[in-house]
Amino acid sequence: MTEPLLSIANLRVDFHTETGVVRAVRGVSLDIGRGERVGIVGESGSGKSMTGRAILRLIRPPGVMTAERLAFDGIDLMALPEPAMRHLRGRRIAMVLQDPKYSLNPVMTVGKQLIEAFRTADPALSAKAARTKALDALTAVRIRDAERVFEAYPGALSGGMGQRVMIAMMVALGPDLLIADEPTSALDVTVQMQVLAILDDLVRAQGMGLMFISHDLDLVASFCDRIAVMYAGHVVEECQADALQSARHPYTRGLLAAIPEIDRPRGDLPVLERNPAWAEDSS
Amino acid sequence: MTLTAPPTPTWRAWLLDDAPASPRQAWCGRMYRGWLHFRRNPLAVSGLAMALLLIVVAAVGPALAPHGPYEQTLDSRLLPPGSPGYLLGTDELGRDILSRVLYGARITLTIVVLVAIIVAPLGLLVGTVAGYAGGIVDTVLMRLTDIFLAFPRLILALALVAALGPGIENAVIAIAITSWPPYARIARAETLTIRRSDFIAAARLQGASPWRIVFGQVIPLCTSSVIVRVTLDMSGIILVAAGLGFLGLGAQPPSPEWGAMVSSGRKFLLDQWWVATVPGFAIFVVSLGFNLLGDGLRDVLDPRHGG
Amino acid sequence: MTAAPVIAVRKLTVTFTAGRHVIEAVREVDFEVGDGEVFGLVGESGSGKSTVLRALTGLHEDWRGHLDILGEAQGRRRSKAFHRHVQMVFQDPYSSLHPRHTIDRILAEPLAIHGIPNAAERIEKALVDVGLDRSYRFRFPHQLSGGQRQRVAIARAIILEPRILLLDEPTSALDVSVQAEILNLLSRLKKERGLTMMLVSHNLAVVAHMGDRLAVMRRGEIVERLEVERLRRGEADHPYTRQLLIAAKGYDRQLADTLLE
C-alpha cells in the first residue's frame, strides 16, 4: 500500500476558556489518498470545521492542537516551522470556505487577486503571463465570460460565481489537497450542482485529494468516495460513500432517518435520541 | 455595583442559575454576568472606583472637610500644601483648598448627572424615532440635529450662558443643548440596523404600534451604546463645565466649582502652583475615571456578548 | 378543495424601488390555500417566494393585485384582528428573538398588544405546547440552542391562537436532527389546531413532507403548481421542477452538465 496523501492520527483541538476546557476535536484519525474525495459529515459543533482548520494549522489561541501524527505527503506538519507551513498553505494545501465574501478582498478586482496569487508563488512570472494564467484559471472553473469576471470586484458577483472564483483562486497553484468547508451550503441547489461538477473535474484532472466538509449527508454520499461521520469531536463511523445507507452507528442511522425524503410516505420523522456514550473518549 | 442577593449563602448560584424563576432573577443574573466580565478588566474597575469615589465624596465630603468652603482666614493666605491644618494648602483668601475640592465634588456630580439625564433620553428619543419612522420625520429631525452639530460646542454654550446669565443651572442647560446631537446620531444609526431585524418584523406582525416598537424593542437595544457614550463623554462634560467656570460663565465665585477654582488660581500659577493644580488634578482624576469606566462598559454592554 | 379558500391571491405583483428603478420581484402570481391545508412555496433565492409572504403579511407594502385572507380583501394596512389570525415564523431563530428580552417577555408581548388576560398561564401553556420545559421561561435567547429558539418563535406565533401560520424557511438554519423535531412539532400543531399553513422553502423534501400542494417559483413567477402526491411520484411537468427534484437527491453529474451548458 502506498503512503496516503494526508494521514492524521489522534488529532485533538482544545480550547481553554474561562469556564473550562472545550474539547472541539477529540482524537480524530483519518487518511486521505491522492485523487480521493473524503466527506466529513456532522452537525454543527461536531468539530468537522475545526478538523479542517487544524490540518492547515490555523487554530488560534486559546485553541491548542496536538496530534500523534499529522503527515502530508510524508511531511510532518506538526514539526514544520511556521514559515515553511505558510509556504505550504495555498500552494500545496488549499482551503475553500462557505462564504467567498470573507475570503476575497472586496476592494481589489478578481483579476488582480489572481495575478497576485500567481506572482507570489512565482516572482519570476511576467505580468502578461500571469494575466494569461489568471484568465485560464477562471476558464477552468467554467466561467464563460472570464474577461468580465476578471475586471469585476468580488461584491459584484453572485454567490455561485463568487464561489467559482474562490475555487479558481484556491486551485490556481495546483494544490495536492483541497479542504472545502461547506463550499456549497450557501448556494441554491442548481448552482451547487455546477460548483460540485467543477470540483469533481479538478479532482479527476489533477489527482487532487479533496476533504469535503458538509452537514448534508445526501450530498456527501452522492459526491464523495468515502465518508467520515463526526459527532462531538469524534469520528463515530467511517465508510464507503455508497455503503452509507447500511451504516452501523446509531448516530449515523439516526441522522439518515431524520432526513425527510420526497418519495417516502409522510408521518412523524424519527427523532434522533442522543446517547451520551457516543461522546465519550474512545482512546 | 451592588446587588440585592437573597439571604441564602448560595446567592452566587442563584445569580448564575441557568433557569431563573422570575424576571428579577433573570435580570440580576444578567447584571452579575456582566459584572463578572467587567471585573476582569482592571483599568475599567479602577475607572469605576474613581467614579464611585466622586459619588462618595459628593455624599460625605462636607462631613470630611476640615473647614467650610467659604471660611476665609486672611492671615493664612496662600499656604503651601502640608501646612498645619491645611493639608492641600490655602488659596488667595485663605480658604482651605482640600475642603473646597471636597465640596466642589457635589457641584461637579450635579452637573454631570443633570446633563446625562437630559441629554441621553433626548438624544435617544430623537434618534430612534427618526431612524424607525424614516421618510420626512427622519429628514426633519436629522437636519435639526445637524444644525446643532454644526455649532462649535463651547461657543454655543458661551452664547447661551451669555444670553441666560452665568450660573450652574444655565451652564447645565447650555451643555445639554449642545451635547445631545451625537447621541441622536448614534441612536439613529443603531435603529437603522435594528429595524430590519426579524424580531421587529415579528413585533409588527403581532400588531404592535410604531411607538410600542420604538419604546419596547428599539430603545432597549440602543440604550447600551448611549450609556457607553455618555460615560465616555462625562469627562468632556466636566471639562466644558470647568471651562465655563474658568471663563467666569459657569459657577460664580465664591462657589467651590473646580473650573472656577482653577480660573482663580491662574493668577498665582507661577508662585503658588497648588491653588490651580489641586482642583485641576481633581478634574483630571474624575475625567480619567469616567473614560476608563466607559471603555470597560463598552466591552460588557456590547450586545454580541449577550451580557 | 373544500369551501372558500382561506388565502386567495390573484395577480399579485410585488415591486421594490431602488433609486429610480422599479423591480418586480413577484409578477402576477395566483394561488389559493384551503382551510386546514399546508401549501408549499418552493424556489431558489431571488425567486420571490419570501417576498410573497411579506406582501401577504403586510410587511412589504408595495404590491398590487388581490389578496383575500379569511374572506376579507386586504389593503396596505392590516387590522389588529388580522394580526391575531395570521402569524409567522422566521428563518433565522437567532435574529427573530429580541436579544435583551427574556422568553417570558417575548411571549407576553403579543398578549399585551391584544389585551389578552391570564398572560402567565398562557405563556406556560404555550411553552409546554412547543415542547419546552417551564424552566425556560425566564431565560434569555442567547442561553438557548437554535432548535429551542425556533420553538420559542413558534410559541410566540401560536400564543394568539391564529388560524393561519406562515412559515418562512423555518428549518433551514437548523441541523437535520433538529429539523426533524421542528417539523414534527409543526405537524402536531397543525393536527391539533386545524391550522392553515403556508410553507416557504428551498428544500423540496421539507415541503413534500409537510405539504398538501405546492407551487414552484422561479424569477418572480410560479412555473408549476402540483399536488405533493404527484411530486412524490415524480410527475412534475415543468423541466425546472424536474431539475429541482433530481438535485434534491444529491449530486448528479448528468444534471450538473446540463446546467453548466
Side-chain angles (χ1 to χ4, degrees):
Chain A
M1 216 177 111
T2 54
E3 175 85 356
L5 179 65
L6 178 77
S7 172
I8 311 170
N10 200 10
L11 174 72
R12 290 171 181 274
V13 180
D14 293 342
F15 283 84
H16 298 270
T17 68
E18 37 187 305
T19 48
V21 180
V22 178
R23 298 162 79 205
V25 180
R26 309 199 282 181
V28 165
S29 300
L30 190 75
D31 285 350
I32 298 180
R34 283 172 205 281
E36 192 183 25
R37 288 167 293 190
V38 177
I40 310 282
V41 204
E43 296 191 290
S44 42
S46 61
K48 55 187 193 303
S49 293
M50 220 36 94
T51 304
R53 300 179 68 93
I55 294 169
L56 281 165
R57 287 214 339 233
L58 290 173
I59 306 291
R60 288 198 195 95
V64 177
M65 59 179 284
T66 57
E68 249 164 54
R69 187 173 67 247
L70 181 59
F72 167 75
D73 199 16
I75 308 164
D76 180 5
L77 295 184
M78 292 305 284
L80 207 61
E82 184 54 31
M85 189 70 215
R86 218 176 297 139
H87 193 261
L88 213 67
R89 282 186 208 125
R91 284 190 186 79
R92 300 206 57 202
I93 311 178
M95 191 162 187
V96 178
L97 300 172
Q98 175 170 352
D99 198 335
K101 263 197 298 244
Y102 300 117
S103 314
L104 296 172
N105 182 346
V107 293
M108 208 189 219
T109 61
V110 165
K112 270 217 176 115
Q113 295 185 52
L114 273 168
I115 287 177
E116 201 180 80
F118 282 118
R119 298 193 75 177
T120 326
D122 177 10
L125 203 66
S126 75
K128 205 172 162 206
R131 190 188 149 87
T132 322
K133 272 192 140 183
L135 283 170
D136 285 349
L138 291 176
T139 323
V141 291
R142 308 256 199 137
I143 293 176
R144 231 163 290 136
D145 40 359
E147 292 276 352
R148 187 186 65 81
V149 174
F150 186 88
E151 300 295 342
Y153 285 92
L157 304 173
S158 68
M161 199 55 93
Q163 200 57 294
R164 286 194 206 188
V165 167
M166 186 68 211
I167 292 172
M169 195 158 308
M170 286 306 152
V171 301
L173 305 175
D176 301 299
L177 176 67
L178 180 67
I179 299 170
D181 188 356
E182 304 268 9
T184 60
S185 305
L187 307 175
D188 284 325
V189 275
T190 49
V191 183
Q192 168 176 304
M193 277 301 134
Q194 301 169 32
V195 172
L196 288 177
I198 290 160
L199 280 177
D200 194 7
D201 289 346
L202 289 169
V203 171
R204 279 172 212 273
Q206 307 187 358
M208 190 171 70
L210 176 69
M211 181 171 181
F212 191 89
I213 301 168
S214 174
H215 68 281
D216 190 334
L217 272 164
D218 285 339
L219 188 72
V220 169
S222 55
F223 183 69
C224 295
D225 305 315
R226 209 148 48 81
I227 297 180
V229 182
M230 282 190 72
Y231 179 74
H234 296 286
V235 172
V236 293
E237 179 151 21
E238 216 182 311
C239 65
Q240 291 301 312
D242 42 19
L244 182 68
Q245 292 302 330
S246 50
R248 291 248 176 81
H249 196 280
Y251 176 69
T252 319
R253 301 202 59 77
L255 273 191
L256 283 169
I259 304 171
E261 276 172 48
I262 294 173
D263 37 18
R264 196 161 63 179
R266 61 202 306 183
D268 270 3
L269 293 163
V271 169
L272 180 64
E273 300 289 349
R274 282 155 216 273
N275 184 340
W278 303 343
E280 269 162 32
D281 251 312
S282 41
S283 52
Chain B
M1 213 173 281
T2 50
L3 293 163
T4 49
T8 50
T10 57
W11 59 274
R12 195 163 183 274
W14 182 81
L15 284 170
L16 291 176
D17 194 349
D18 263 341
S22 67
R24 196 175 68 108
Q25 190 186 358
W27 190 82
C28 291
R30 199 177 74 177
M31 297 299 281
Y32 184 64
R33 283 193 183 91
W35 165 242
L36 288 182
H37 185 76
F38 182 83
R39 201 169 67 168
R40 288 200 319 243
N41 182 344
L43 279 179
V45 173
S46 60
L48 178 67
M50 290 183 219
L52 285 177
L53 184 71
L54 175 68
I55 295 172
V56 170
V57 167
V60 301
L64 295 178
H67 301 274
Y70 310 118
E71 200 181 298
Q72 303 182 5
T73 321
L74 289 173
D75 49 355
S76 40
R77 294 167 59 221
L78 299 168
L79 291 179
S83 307
Y86 303 102
L87 194 61
L88 294 175
T90 57
D91 67 3
E92 74 279 14
L93 295 173
R95 292 172 298 195
D96 179 36
I97 295 182
L98 173 66
S99 305
R100 284 176 64 76
V101 167
L102 289 176
Y103 274 92
R106 197 170 272 191
I107 300 174
T108 302
L109 188 68
T110 311
I111 294 176
V112 162
V113 168
L114 279 181
V115 170
I117 60 176
I118 298 174
V119 160
L122 182 67
L124 202 53
L125 190 68
V126 170
T128 49
V129 168
Y132 187 75
I136 184 84
V137 178
D138 185 26
T139 310
V140 170
L141 286 176
M142 289 329 282
R143 289 304 80 77
L144 198 69
T145 310
D146 286 343
I147 292 171
F148 276 97
L149 265 180
F151 284 103
R153 194 161 151 189
L154 195 60
I155 307 284
L156 188 59
L158 275 179
L160 270 160
V161 171
L164 298 170
I168 298 270
E169 302 76 22
N170 291 344
V172 166
I173 294 173
I175 298 169
I177 285 181
T178 53
S179 40
W180 68 268
Y183 300 96
R185 278 279 182 90
I186 296 174
R188 176 175 177 269
E190 290 230 348
T191 308
L192 288 182
T193 57
I194 295 167
R195 68 183 281 206
R196 297 206 159 272
S197 348
D198 284 346
F199 61 84
I200 296 292
R204 287 174 62 193
L205 279 186
Q206 286 153 13
S209 65
W211 284 110
R212 194 182 177 95
I213 292 175
V214 167
F215 281 102
Q217 318 256 340
V218 179
I219 287 187
L221 278 180
C222 296
T223 312
S224 46
S225 48
V226 168
I227 287 177
V228 169
R229 182 68 198 252
V230 167
T231 317
L232 287 172
D233 278 359
M234 286 287 185
S235 52
I237 293 168
I238 292 169
L239 292 176
V240 173
L244 287 175
F246 180 81
L247 293 169
L249 295 166
Q252 293 302 299
S255 158
E257 200 268 325
W258 296 345
M261 286 170 72
V262 174
S263 168
S264 63
R266 184 182 39 147
K267 286 169 275 180
F268 319 101
L269 197 58
L270 291 180
D271 300 317
Q272 286 85 25
W273 53 270
W274 60 89
V275 180
T277 308
V278 172
F281 189 70
I283 295 173
F284 166 74
V285 168
V286 172
S287 305
L288 180 68
F290 276 115
N291 258 330
L292 294 175
L293 178 64
D295 273 339
L297 283 178
R298 173 159 50 202
D299 292 342
V300 175
L301 291 176
D302 189 330
R304 273 165 298 204
H305 284 301
Chain C
M1 189 174 303
T2 54
V6 170
I7 302 173
V9 175
R10 296 264 165 280
K11 287 191 186 298
L12 175 71
T13 296
V14 188
T15 55
F16 284 93
T17 318
R20 256 174 252 164
H21 300 278
V22 177
I23 300 147
E24 293 192 342
V26 173
R27 272 185 309 277
E28 309 238 318
V29 160
D30 302 286
F31 63 86
E32 287 183 351
V33 185
D35 197 8
E37 193 181 29
V38 178
F39 183 76
L41 212 48
V42 179
E44 297 187 297
S45 49
S47 63
K49 58 189 193 301
S50 292
T51 310
V52 169
L53 271 201
R54 295 183 83 84
L56 232 63
T57 53
L59 284 176
H60 188 83
E61 293 184 356
D62 293 336
W63 56 270
R64 52 181 193 271
H66 298 280
L67 274 185
D68 276 17
I69 294 172
L70 293 167
E72 268 175 55
Q74 301 294 331
R76 295 278 167 278
R77 303 272 156 149
R78 302 298 149 87
S79 67
K80 224 168 174 179
F82 172 89
H83 292 301
R84 197 163 170 175
H85 293 308
V86 183
Q87 280 295 314
M88 180 156 155
V89 176
F90 296 84
Q91 170 175 5
D92 184 359
Y94 289 87
S95 73
S96 71
L97 303 180
H98 196 289
R100 302 249 158 171
H101 287 175
T102 59
I103 306 310
D104 179 67
R105 170 94 197 266
I106 289 167
L107 297 180
E109 189 71 4
L111 298 174
I113 291 167
H114 292 272
I116 297 168
N118 304 334
E121 231 170 87
R122 282 172 198 268
I123 289 168
E124 298 219 329
K125 183 172 179 299
L127 283 176
V128 173
D129 281 349
V130 296
L132 283 177
D133 192 78
R134 285 190 182 86
S135 65
Y136 285 90
R137 190 169 150 198
F138 296 106
R139 292 189 199 189
F140 287 96
H142 65 84
Q143 294 171 303
L144 269 54
S145 71
Q148 288 168 340
R149 284 171 186 233
Q150 200 59 308
R151 285 176 193 268
V152 172
I154 293 171
R156 172 178 60 189
I158 61 165
I159 203 165
L160 289 173
E161 296 176 357
R163 292 186 55 196
I164 300 174
L165 198 56
L166 305 171
L167 307 161
D168 189 3
E169 303 265 14
T171 61
S172 53
L174 307 173
D175 279 325
V176 275
S177 61
V178 182
Q179 164 172 285
E181 293 171 17
I182 297 293
L183 291 179
N184 288 346
L185 167 65
L186 290 170
S187 305
R188 198 192 80 218
L189 289 172
K190 176 194 165 309
K191 243 179 270 160
E192 285 173 5
R193 301 174 177 230
L195 285 166
T196 303
M197 291 185 178
M198 241 184 104
L199 171 63
V200 164
S201 179
H202 71 282
N203 188 329
L204 260 187
V206 165
V207 170
H209 177 77
M210 290 287 299
D212 301 304
R213 286 186 309 126
L214 72 149
V216 179
M217 285 190 75
R218 187 190 202 184
R219 295 189 195 123
E221 282 167 358
I222 290 183
V223 297
E224 183 165 11
R225 258 171 289 253
L226 74 166
E227 279 79 43
V228 164
E229 280 313 315
R230 286 189 52 217
L231 186 77
R232 271 187 218 290
R233 295 196 296 265
E235 291 172 7
D237 293 325
H238 198 278
Y240 180 64
T241 316
R242 288 170 176 279
Q243 283 181 359
L244 288 181
L245 261 172
I246 299 169
K249 293 207 165 64
Y251 177 62
D252 183 288
R253 184 69 217 211
Q254 213 181 346
L255 172 62
D257 284 335
T258 2
L259 290 169
L260 278 169
E261 282 325 306

